[in-house]
Amino acid sequence: MPRFTYQSARGLPIKTTNYRGTAQDFADALAEDCRADYRVEPDVRVWHGDGPVTDPPAATAH
């Protein structure tokens, strides 16, 4: 199962998890959850693996 590092919205913690699917599938799912869980507009950024988040994200969603 692929490993991703992600941030659901600016100001929220950066986390790492496994997700069965593509980076874009994961970003889209996080965007939906962000509205419900945090009551903020999502600005999702997803990176492959658990490496540095200074590289451009592999996927984004709003």
Side-chain angles (χ1 to χ4, degrees):
M1 190 172 333
R3 189 156 181 83
F4 297 106
T5 298
Y6 67 94
Q7 185 178 37
S8 297
R10 308 256 180 199
L12 293 178
I14 294 174
K15 299 178 181 179
T16 303
T17 193
N18 295 321
Y19 182 82
R20 188 179 312 261
T22 67
Q24 190 61 56
D25 292 340
F26 185 45
D28 293 339
L30 284 172
E32 289 181 25
D33 290 347
C34 184
R35 286 184 188 95
D37 294 345
Y38 298 108
R39 293 184 174 39
V40 297
E41 282 303 308
D43 185 12
V44 177
R45 297 180 297 160
V46 174
W47 296 269
H48 289 287
D50 51 6
V53 296
T54 56
D55 295 335
T60 60
H62 299 280

